[in-house]
Amino acid sequence: PENFVFVKECMSILDRELLQPFVDTTEMFLATDKIETITLPENALEQWAKLFDAIRAFEAWQQHGAWVQSVSPRMAEPIKNRLLACSATTRPEYDEACRQREKVIEFLKELLRDRILCVPPIWNYPPARAASEVDLASNRRKNLLLYSIASLGGLPQIVIPLSLPDSEHKFAISL
């Protein structure tokens, strides 16, 4: 395939210090000197992430809710709280998110008919171990915006680790 594209909205999430090295590394790996950048409809990533959140929450609670309630397993409080919050997603919310997901799938089929998206799989290096819950939540949210495209669209996602010669930067690219 030769028609690789960046997604403007995904590239804008990427940490500024990593943007150009990511572009350079991706272009080097794909043996091209210029990858086109496409633009999604306004707020598409945010809307898609909300759909993905609703579907994931409902399905996670259906899968694990009874176990969490009956066993009350020992786990980190932030993780337990996120899992318990999944119980708030209703069947009608889930059904509507699934209906909306079908529209996203159709949009992505048309968009990707002759293209392959090049998306950073994460927005920045992982947060410090001592990061606050606010920083961790922000990190999760930004990463979700990037990886929800393939997950919501039912698309394959290949993550390839890369680095530029003579560079301290190590990257991965999602195709």
Side-chain angles (χ1 to χ4, degrees):
E2 295 179 0
N3 204 3
F4 293 93
V5 293
F6 290 126
V7 178
K8 178 184 174 191
E9 293 77 6
C10 294
M11 301 305 280
S12 70
I13 295 168
L14 189 59
D15 182 83
R16 290 290 131 225
E17 290 180 27
L18 300 179
L19 179 60
Q20 195 57 52
F22 177 79
V23 169
D24 294 345
T25 303
T26 302
E27 288 175 345
M28 182 193 74
F29 175 74
L30 297 173
T32 184
D33 55 358
K34 181 71 174 143
I35 296 176
E36 176 191 358
T37 300
I38 61 169
T39 302
L40 296 175
E42 189 174 346
N43 295 321
L45 285 182
E46 284 293 337
Q47 292 168 3
W48 296 352
K50 286 178 186 174
L51 295 176
F52 180 79
D53 272 343
I55 293 167
R56 178 178 62 172
F58 185 83
E59 291 177 354
W61 190 251
Q62 295 305 302
Q63 185 68 36
H64 305 292
W67 172 75
V68 168
Q69 290 177 318
S70 67
V71 173
S72 191
R74 231 177 79 198
M75 61 179 78
E77 280 303 308
I79 294 170
K80 187 173 188 176
N81 291 339
R82 284 195 307 275
L83 186 55
L84 291 172
C86 292
S87 69
T89 304
T90 66
R91 169 59 81 170
E93 290 169 330
Y94 172 75
D95 290 342
E96 179 58 26
C98 289
R99 279 190 289 281
Q100 294 299 318
R101 176 179 57 191
E102 292 305 315
K103 293 177 184 176
V104 173
I105 290 169
E106 287 307 312
F107 172 82
L108 289 171
K109 273 186 191 176
E110 180 61 28
L111 178 72
L112 301 176
R113 186 176 26 139
D114 61 345
R115 297 177 176 138
I116 296 175
L117 297 181
C118 298
V119 177
I122 57 173
W123 79 278
N124 199 354
Y125 296 111
R129 184 179 177 129
S132 70
E133 186 53 40
V134 170
D135 289 341
L136 293 172
S138 174
N139 183 67
R140 278 190 299 276
R141 186 71 187 158
K142 288 177 182 177
N143 287 336
L144 173 69
L145 292 171
L146 297 171
Y147 69 71
S148 66
I149 298 170
S151 297
L152 188 64
L155 301 169
Q157 184 172 12
I158 302 166
V159 178
I160 303 168
L162 303 170
S163 67
L164 280 174
D166 303 322
S167 172
E168 73 221 40
H169 295 293
K170 307 290 185 233
F171 293 99
I173 177 175
S174 288
L175 300 174

